[in-house]
Amino acid sequence: MSLVKPFDKLPTLNSAAILLVGTDESQQQQLAEAILKEKKIFKINIHVATSLPLPAERDHIRPRIDLIVFMINMQSKHSLRNVEASLSHMDANFFLGKVCFLITGVGRMNHCSVEMNAVRKLGNLYCSPVLFCELESEGIRVATAQRLLRMLQICAGHVPGVSALFFSSLMKSSIDE
Amino acid sequence: MDTPDSGGKTPLGRKTAETGINFTSSTRFSRGLTFIRTHTLFGQSPTRRIIPQTSLLQENADSQKIAFLLRKQWTLYSVTPMYKFSYDNLKEYSRLLSAFVATEKQKGLAVEVGNDLGIKVTLSTFLGLKGTDQDQIAILVQIASRSQLPFENAEDKVVWSGWFCCISGDDLLESVPEDFTCLSLFLANGAESYTAIVGSWFQKTFDCYFSRLTISPLNLAWMAAMWTGCKVDSHIAATELVFSVPCIPQSLDISYAIHPEDAKALWDTVQKTPGEVTQEEVNLFMDCLYSHFHRHFKIHLSATRLVKVSTSIASAHCDGNIKILHSKHLIGVLMLLTELAISQIQ
């Protein structure tokens, strides 16, 4: 069982890798397809996993992971517990902007089993942005794919002058000012 | 960025994380003109709830009427405050509502003029259903069909009943202007058609709005935890939880029944302060039940949706149906439902 480390491998030219972690495989597939459909100027590797740690056997062929997206479904407490368990199997350097939480299922409040406080606390505790989306709707899926693609570009270092550390400004709300 | 201070924004909670980056974990707004929310930001549920320890049923409660409320399946609605509702005009309202129900029922039928369908509607006050003294008096509406028998003392058969109440709806009551009456919770038992007719009359006459009160799995988990902890002397029933698993083609239902003694023993080890329940305690209680089930059946109940909770005190379904079984805990149950109704209106 290997710990996922952000800087232990050399980056490949003009490419980036994103890892989606979550219990709902169909949602991950949908999101992955939406990301692949987008217009991009670099190569993307999308890796999909149900939980961390990743199996050690394929570690040498795996590219360097630039962005990890944890998908939590508000209608299933199991997905939250799964993500919480996976978070302990990561190298701390990842939390410098290379982790993002993606929350689905908030649209139907009557079916929510996870309380909002828990999700906000998770985002604050791990200093990572929390994005909300409804992957069933086509428009929102495309918009989320575009956001993730932009974040991936920044995390992989393809945008000069902008680093992943700047994502902490996404977490401050304008109420604070 | 300068924010205007007119609305009265008061950040009540600020937390600085150890890393030195300044994060705000919770900020509460107070919209001075309308109402003060106890749980403000979208989708937040309260972190702790108080359980009333003693039976708060007031002395002038009619025990026969209270017994009438128990052991019946009630459908829940939340009602916005009613405009210009007066307790003195109840007879007048009864008469108007009778006429309205009769005409609605006769719509489309060719009936001779002056024929009385035999429907009688009565509105009466229901004393004793109050949480605090500021609560409005509960109203009971009953539709009875006049007996066809020629006997003098033949009783009318009640075909539909509904009642309005509001238990400890303090935060809503404070912020509502003079002419409004706050009776936020409406419970109905009987034919759906009568509920629709009565609802539309109230909506037209008092400019309020009825909406079906659905209960989310989070709130059902709260109910399971709070009601398991209540002491019951007689008619102890098993605690039963029903979960719905989304499956194709037809959804699967899992029913999980727990012996009441065991459930109460588990809750007693989880609850720290008597009389108060926190979100963490509810989560811990449910997690214990889920992990026990997983150990035996290898099924993750946390990935399913809780749809129904039945305990010795009451049973609730996520579609908004409730059945209350004990008069001692009636006020406690109604207080929780009123809180849900008010948060739905807001």
Side-chain angles (χ1 to χ4, degrees):
Chain A
M1 295 297 190
S2 63
L3 209 58
V4 189
K5 289 196 173 65
F7 298 116
D8 61 343
K9 297 192 181 138
L10 288 176
T12 25
L13 196 58
N14 210 29
S15 73
I18 184 172
L19 173 65
L20 302 176
V21 180
T23 48
D24 196 338
E25 276 118 24
S26 56
Q27 269 189 347
Q28 287 172 326
Q29 280 293 109
Q30 273 183 326
L31 187 60
E33 280 160 13
I35 295 178
L36 287 174
K37 280 208 200 98
E38 289 296 313
K39 215 164 57 132
K40 46 200 174 293
I41 50 175
F42 55 97
K43 262 195 342 189
I44 285 198
N45 286 322
I46 305 184
H47 292 252
V48 164
T50 351
S51 66
L52 293 177
L54 301 173
E57 299 84 46
R58 299 174 58 86
D59 195 39
H60 56 286
I61 24 178
R62 219 176 276 134
R64 184 183 80 156
I65 305 280
D66 295 302
L67 176 65
I68 300 189
V69 179
F70 287 102
M71 299 176 63
I72 298 176
N73 187 356
M74 288 292 263
Q75 297 171 13
S76 149
K77 213 161 175 126
H78 177 59
S79 62
L80 180 68
R81 295 274 177 257
N82 180 46
V83 163
E84 282 173 354
S86 303
L87 280 165
S88 49
H89 293 281
M90 284 170 54
D91 188 64
N93 283 320
F94 255 112
F95 295 108
L96 296 172
K98 293 188 181 234
V99 169
C100 161
F101 293 103
L102 194 67
I103 317 289
T104 63
V106 195
R108 303 182 75 186
M109 279 304 300
N110 290 334
H111 289 212
C112 282
S113 300
V114 177
E115 64 274 2
M116 288 295 250
N117 278 338
V119 159
R120 284 209 180 88
K121 254 193 267 195
L122 201 65
N124 280 344
L125 188 62
Y126 289 100
C127 307
S128 303
V130 177
L131 304 179
F132 293 90
C133 66
E134 286 300 315
L135 291 178
E136 280 92 27
S137 141
E138 177 74 37
I140 301 181
R141 198 161 59 220
V142 167
T144 312
Q146 285 171 348
R147 279 176 99 171
L148 287 178
L149 203 59
R150 189 66 183 152
M151 285 176 73
L152 180 61
Q153 222 179 351
I154 295 173
C155 287
H158 292 183
V159 180
V162 183
S163 102
L165 291 169
F166 291 165
F167 288 142
S168 63
S169 64
L170 276 181
M171 294 172 292
K172 276 205 204 169
S173 53
S174 52
I175 310 164
D176 299 344
E177 312 293 336
Chain B
M1 190 170 84
D2 271 330
T3 49
D5 206 22
S6 57
K9 277 190 203 162
T10 42
L12 287 179
R14 268 180 170 262
K15 221 167 34 175
T16 323
E18 288 84 36
T19 53
I21 311 174
N22 215 334
F23 295 145
T24 320
S25 53
S26 66
T27 315
R28 294 208 193 135
F29 283 84
S30 104
R31 297 177 213 161
L33 287 175
T34 45
F35 30 71
I36 301 173
R37 284 180 168 218
T38 45
H39 24 284
T40 56
L41 303 172
F42 173 71
Q44 270 192 358
S45 57
T47 48
R48 51 172 37 87
R49 280 188 169 123
I50 313 286
I51 313 179
Q53 286 294 54
T54 55
S55 160
L56 294 177
L57 213 52
Q58 299 184 342
E59 288 74 34
N60 53 357
D62 187 354
S63 59
Q64 204 185 23
K65 268 189 170 174
I66 299 288
F68 167 74
L69 298 180
L70 304 176
R71 278 175 284 280
K72 273 204 183 65
Q73 180 94 320
W74 298 100
T75 314
L76 296 169
Y77 291 86
S78 67
V79 186
T80 59
M82 298 196 265
Y83 184 61
K84 287 219 160 68
F85 179 87
S86 140
Y87 287 92
D88 303 321
N89 296 351
L90 289 183
K91 283 232 154 30
E92 177 70 20
Y93 297 150
S94 306
R95 203 178 52 80
L96 290 171
L97 188 51
S98 295
F100 187 75
V101 171
T103 47
E104 287 290 321
K105 277 277 152 186
Q106 281 177 347
K107 254 191 203 166
L109 297 172
V111 193
E112 52 199 64
V113 177
N115 193 4
D116 176 20
L117 255 195
I119 304 271
K120 190 171 73 147
V121 180
T122 39
L123 267 85
S124 51
T125 53
F126 208 132
L127 298 167
L129 278 182
K130 274 188 181 195
T132 60
D133 283 323
Q134 290 106 327
D135 287 333
Q136 310 278 19
I137 305 177
I139 301 278
L140 176 68
V141 181
Q142 278 185 311
I143 300 185
S145 66
R146 272 204 205 115
S147 60
Q148 307 294 329
L149 304 169
F151 296 108
E152 280 298 322
N153 50 0
E155 282 190 7
D156 296 338
K157 191 162 94 78
V158 173
V159 294
W160 182 92
S161 357
W163 46 295
F164 293 87
C165 72
C166 184
I167 313 283
S168 299
D170 294 334
D171 42 343
L172 189 61
L173 285 173
E174 278 163 19
S175 52
V176 140
E178 277 302 315
D179 295 323
F180 284 88
T181 313
C182 272
L183 286 166
S184 318
L185 189 63
F186 179 62
L187 299 92
N189 169 279
E192 179 63 34
S193 53
Y194 283 125
T195 312
I197 295 173
V198 172
S200 59
W201 185 81
F202 271 94
Q203 284 179 157
K204 268 200 289 225
T205 321
F206 302 112
D207 195 25
C208 57
Y209 185 69
F210 281 62
S211 59
R212 197 67 197 262
L213 180 64
T214 47
I215 311 176
S216 70
L218 266 178
N219 288 319
L220 281 174
W222 271 94
M223 288 176 186
M226 287 170 76
W227 296 345
T228 311
C230 291
K231 229 156 47 115
V232 181
D233 303 317
S234 59
H235 302 292
I236 303 181
T239 301
E240 189 188 333
L241 307 170
V242 179
F243 297 86
S244 157
V245 185
C247 265
I248 306 165
Q250 208 168 10
S251 68
L252 195 67
D253 275 340
I254 300 178
S255 161
Y256 182 14
I258 308 147
H259 194 269
E261 307 284 330
D262 298 338
K264 179 114 179 37
L266 176 63
W267 177 246
D268 288 336
T269 59
V270 168
Q271 188 179 25
K272 290 196 223 41
T273 12
E276 196 182 71
V277 183
T278 62
Q279 180 76 64
E280 286 85 30
E281 287 166 5
V282 174
N283 286 344
L284 187 56
F285 181 69
M286 297 306 286
D287 282 342
C288 290
L289 296 178
Y290 292 157
S291 60
H292 179 82
F293 196 85
H294 177 70
R295 194 184 312 135
H296 289 271
F297 299 105
K298 296 285 176 266
I299 295 179
H300 287 282
L301 282 178
S302 46
T304 62
R305 181 165 68 99
L306 181 57
V307 293
K308 186 167 172 194
V309 169
S310 308
T311 60
S312 322
I313 304 209
S315 71
H317 191 274
C318 67
D319 288 336
N321 296 326
I322 188 143
K323 194 193 270 199
I324 308 173
L325 303 166
H326 274 264
S327 63
K328 194 164 140 222
H329 301 279
L330 178 65
I331 294 289
V333 171
L334 290 177
M335 185 149 51
L336 180 57
L337 293 173
T338 312
E339 194 189 320
L340 292 180
I342 291 179
S343 67
Q344 185 172 346
I345 301 172
Q346 288 178 345

